[in-house]
């Protein structure tokens, strides 16, 4: 019996509530079933009974370290990350993570790039906690660059990179950058791994960022994501309603929601601070939705129609059109003499199910028109073309 197996048996005697699990780990270690041992460790380290009293630190140092080079290195990095979170002193935690990184790099084993990148993203989070924004930025930027060079990256690593990036942008209140990084994180993270409290906090943050982000004019991807399902049950149903309102560009509904939820809206300092930006955004989205709802051959729109839809005077409509053109959300020509705008292109957006249903209705109408035109051509072509001689 080597010292690692002895340590696990000693721990089992000291912690009877997890003695059975520890005995199982010891048996797998003795049989050198590294994959099965890794799988069991992966499930056990999530248990509260294993995390109590800093036990993971002892487990890593006195047991996992004994076979670290024999298991999947990315799993090892995940274990080390979990252990570092139990270290009370941030500097000690940083030192621990750096030591694991150094060990991986010194091992000269293949496939160390992903576990090292994963651990560096953990370092970025510690830098953020220590208010070392410069170092955090350096790690995040280097991590994103490295991620782009890797092929067939494990989703766990991609999620770690974008999560660290989202935390950095959130700290700086860079709403658009946070929104994009958070969506990328959600694309790689498994929601069932997150507890309800984390899901709700993330859903609220990413929803607010989508509203406040200066160049965010597409809400479809977020509205279709299952993480928003936690908002109504968590007391943030108003936020989901607001997202749906912005997505549909319904400025009249926006005013109704502002009056209905004035108390909760005023409790959000960033929404209050950027009230004018929100008004400008919903107005732009109102214009985009109006144009997108029109058939391609009917996109010469009177300014008066836009003004009525967007609640703007004529000079306000002109400013709205110039801003939307400058943002490259639409392309077209303004005719001030006729008081119209002819739109040739609208920025594509991810559609929600109601919008898809509306598009399907328009396509059905287009199919009917094509069928009618084809029938008319057939009728008018009778007698024009002589039948071929037998």
């Amino acid at each position: 019996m080597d010292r690692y197996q002895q340590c696990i048996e000693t721990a089992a005697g000291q912690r009877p509530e997890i003695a059975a699990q520890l005995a199982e780990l010891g048996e797998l270690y003795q049989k050198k079933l590294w994959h099965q041992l890794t799988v069991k460790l992966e499930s056990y380290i999530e248990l509260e009974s294993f995390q109590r009293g800093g036990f993971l630190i002892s487990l890593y140092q006195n047991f996992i370290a004994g076979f670290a080079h024999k298991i999947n290195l990315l799993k090892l990095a995940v274990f080390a990350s979990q252990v570092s979170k139990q270290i009370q002193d941030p500097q000690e935690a940083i030192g621990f993570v750096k030591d694991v990184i150094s060990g991986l790099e010194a091992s000269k084993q293949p496939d160390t790039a992903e576990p090292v990148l994963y651990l560096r993203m953990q370092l970025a989070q510690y830098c953020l906690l220590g208010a070392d924004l410069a170092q955090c930025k350096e790690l995040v930027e280097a991590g994103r660059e490295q991620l782009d060079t890797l092929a067939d990256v494990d989703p766990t690593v991609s999620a770690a990179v974008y999560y660290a990036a989202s935390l950095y942008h959130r700290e700086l209140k860079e709403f658009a950058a946070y929104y994009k990084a958070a969506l990328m994180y959600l694309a790689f993270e498994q929601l069932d791994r997150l507890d309800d409290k984390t899901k709700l906090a993330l859903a609220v943050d990413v929803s607010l960022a989508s509203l406040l982000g200066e160049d965010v004019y597409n809400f479809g991807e977020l509205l279709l994501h299952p993480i928003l399902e936690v908002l109504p049950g968590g007391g943030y149903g108003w936020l989901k309603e607001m997202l749906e309102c912005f997505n549909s560009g319904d400025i009249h509904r926006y005013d109704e929601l502002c009056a209905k939820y004035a108390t909760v809206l005023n409790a959000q300092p960033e929404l209050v601070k950027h009230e004018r930006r929100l008004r400008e955004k919903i107005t732009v989205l109102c214009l985009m939705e109006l144009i997108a709802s029109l058939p391609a051959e009917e996109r010469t729109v009177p300014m008066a129609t836009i003004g009525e839809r967007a609640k703007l005077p004529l000079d306000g409509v002109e400013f709205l059109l110039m801003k939307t053109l400058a943002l490259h959300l639409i392309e077209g020509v303004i005719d001030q003499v006729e008081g119209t705008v002819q739109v040739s292109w609208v920025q594509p957006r991810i559609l929600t199910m109601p919008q898809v249903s509306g598009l399907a209705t328009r396509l059905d109408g287009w199919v009917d028109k094509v069928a009618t035109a084809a029938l008319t051509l057939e009728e008018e072509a009778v007698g024009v073309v002589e039948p071929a001689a037998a």
Side-chain angles (χ1 to χ4, degrees):
M1 180 186 299
D2 62 22
R3 68 186 184 91
Y4 298 109
Q5 190 172 359
Q6 186 175 3
C7 286
I8 207 73
E9 290 187 3
T10 301
Q14 296 172 343
R15 295 175 176 268
E17 71 277 11
I18 56 173
Q21 292 93 327
L22 291 173
E24 188 176 12
L25 295 178
E27 182 180 354
L28 293 172
Y29 172 79
Q30 185 179 19
K31 294 179 179 180
K32 299 183 179 181
L33 299 175
W34 308 124
H35 173 70
Q36 293 87 334
L37 179 55
T38 303
V39 172
K40 287 296 181 181
L41 276 171
E42 194 173 14
S43 62
Y44 289 159
I45 63 173
E46 298 289 341
L47 300 177
E48 191 276 334
S49 55
F50 266 71
Q51 298 182 5
R52 191 182 304 132
F55 176 63
L56 284 184
I57 303 173
S58 173
L59 182 67
Y60 186 92
Q61 294 174 340
N62 299 315
F63 182 62
I64 298 176
F67 53 89
H69 61 291
K70 297 178 181 178
I71 65 174
N72 181 291
L73 296 182
L74 181 55
K75 299 297 184 183
L76 175 66
V78 173
F79 296 159
S81 175
Q82 287 284 77
V83 171
S84 70
K85 295 174 183 177
Q86 289 207 322
I87 301 175
Q88 299 297 319
D89 186 344
Q91 292 305 315
E92 288 185 18
I94 290 173
F96 170 78
V97 174
K98 285 183 176 179
D99 287 343
V100 177
I101 291 174
S102 298
L104 287 169
E105 292 175 334
S107 69
K108 304 298 182 182
Q109 294 190 66
D111 303 325
T112 60
E114 290 188 28
V116 168
L117 176 56
Y118 180 89
L119 288 171
R120 283 179 178 158
M121 293 305 98
Q122 186 63 48
L123 285 179
Q125 295 182 49
Y126 284 125
C127 290
L128 196 60
L129 289 173
D132 190 351
L133 295 179
Q135 182 64 23
C136 179
K137 179 181 180 182
E138 183 179 334
L139 286 167
V140 167
E141 290 180 349
R144 297 182 83 159
E145 289 177 7
Q146 184 180 359
L147 185 63
D148 290 338
T149 66
L150 298 175
D152 299 324
V153 183
D154 190 285
T156 303
V157 178
S158 299
V161 172
Y162 289 112
Y163 182 65
S166 70
L167 293 179
Y168 172 74
H169 293 304
R170 187 183 68 178
E171 183 69 20
L172 295 181
K173 296 185 179 180
E174 296 173 345
F175 302 114
Y178 168 76
Y179 173 70
K180 294 171 184 175
L183 277 187
M184 290 299 295
Y185 164 67
L186 288 171
F188 292 104
E189 184 59 271
Q190 299 177 27
L191 284 185
D192 57 5
R193 290 172 52 88
L194 305 177
D195 58 54
D196 293 340
K197 183 178 179 181
T198 301
K199 286 181 187 177
L200 180 60
L202 182 57
V204 171
D205 285 345
V206 74
S207 298
L208 290 174
S210 68
L211 295 174
L212 295 166
E214 290 190 25
D215 60 345
V216 179
Y217 291 93
N218 190 339
F219 299 87
E221 184 175 2
L222 178 59
L223 284 169
L224 291 172
H225 200 284
I227 196 169
L228 291 195
E229 295 174 4
V230 304
L231 288 178
Y236 288 90
W238 62 270
L239 187 52
K240 188 173 183 181
E241 287 186 55
M242 194 67 74
L243 288 173
E244 293 169 343
C245 173
F246 270 71
N247 188 62
S248 63
D250 190 342
I251 199 166
H252 297 274
R253 175 64 175 159
Y254 173 71
D255 289 336
E256 292 174 1
L257 290 176
C258 286
K260 181 179 179 180
Y261 297 116
T263 302
V264 291
L265 289 171
N266 288 329
Q268 296 290 332
E270 293 300 329
L271 293 182
V272 175
K273 181 179 178 181
H274 299 286
E275 181 181 0
R276 181 175 178 180
R277 180 188 299 177
L278 292 171
R279 186 75 187 187
E280 291 175 352
K281 177 179 283 194
I282 188 67
T283 306
V284 169
L285 288 165
C286 177
L287 172 63
M288 292 178 66
E289 187 65 22
L290 169 62
I291 296 170
S293 65
L294 298 174
E297 68 276 9
E298 297 178 14
R299 288 186 174 174
T300 299
V301 188
M303 291 188 184
T305 301
I306 297 173
E308 181 180 351
R309 182 79 169 260
K311 292 187 173 183
L312 290 174
L314 182 58
D315 57 345
V317 172
E318 293 177 353
F319 177 78
L320 170 63
L321 289 170
M322 289 187 290
K323 178 176 180 178
T324 311
L325 287 165
L327 291 170
H328 198 60
L329 298 173
I330 64 171
E331 291 180 359
V333 178
I334 300 174
D335 188 338
Q336 290 183 315
V337 176
E338 295 293 330
T340 61
V341 57
Q342 183 178 0
V343 180
S344 56
W345 177 85
V346 184
Q347 184 187 73
R349 294 191 293 164
I350 296 174
L351 303 180
T352 58
M353 294 311 298
Q355 290 172 319
V356 171
S357 298
L359 182 61
T361 302
R362 289 169 57 188
L363 286 173
D364 289 340
W366 178 79
V367 170
D368 291 340
K369 286 183 180 179
V370 171
T372 302
L375 182 60
T376 301
L377 286 174
E378 288 178 6
E379 293 174 349
E380 292 181 353
V382 174
V384 175
V385 180
E386 295 295 334

